[in-house]
Amino acid sequence: MTAGSIKVTAANIYQSIKVEFTVTVTAVRVTGLVSDSLSIKVGDSLSPVIYRLPDNATDKEFTLESSTPSVAEVFGKSTLRKEGGQDPSMAHRSIQGSDNRLRSSQC
């Protein structure tokens, strides 16, 4: 479903009585992002679980950014790598579940 407006007509089976009304569908905006604090060792990679609130948000997009890339880097939306590790694209694949959580699996 996308945001927008439609006109709907309800009528009896003979089409002799009708009522027309407008239905407006609005986007549900993300109001918050939640994640737990994480710890990793040098050379390790992980994919954080990011919860988007509310659960029924229309646009579930988000970005990840490292405040200190010299300590740990972010690759894409789901993989953090502590300096000294292998390229995370070779180690992990990210999967987004229907519950809006990002999970990591070994390739």
Side-chain angles (χ1 to χ4, degrees):
M1 187 179 297
T2 61
S5 294
I6 62 166
K7 287 200 181 262
V8 178
T9 302
N12 66 355
I13 61 171
Y14 305 107
Q15 300 291 314
S16 61
I17 301 172
K18 295 181 183 180
V19 64
E20 195 173 89
F21 56 96
T22 301
V23 176
T24 302
V25 178
T26 58
V28 177
R29 304 225 184 276
V30 171
T31 59
L33 297 173
V34 179
S35 185
D36 295 328
S37 293
L38 305 169
S39 296
I40 58 176
K41 295 178 183 174
V42 172
D44 286 350
S45 297
L46 62 83
S47 293
V49 176
I50 308 294
Y51 302 95
R52 272 97 66 197
L53 304 172
D55 254 358
N56 66 338
T58 307
D59 183 1
K60 294 176 172 49
E61 291 297 313
F62 65 93
T63 59
L64 295 176
E65 183 178 314
S66 174
S67 63
T68 314
S70 61
V71 174
E73 294 179 272
V74 174
F75 294 89
K77 291 187 178 183
S78 61
T79 306
L80 299 173
R81 178 174 59 110
K82 185 84 170 192
E83 284 297 314
Q86 72 184 93
D87 180 344
S89 65
M90 303 300 284
H92 291 83
R93 179 180 48 191
S94 298
I95 302 168
Q96 182 171 342
S98 60
D99 60 358
N100 299 330
R101 297 180 183 185
L102 289 173
R103 294 182 176 81
S104 175
S105 63
Q106 295 291 330
C107 290

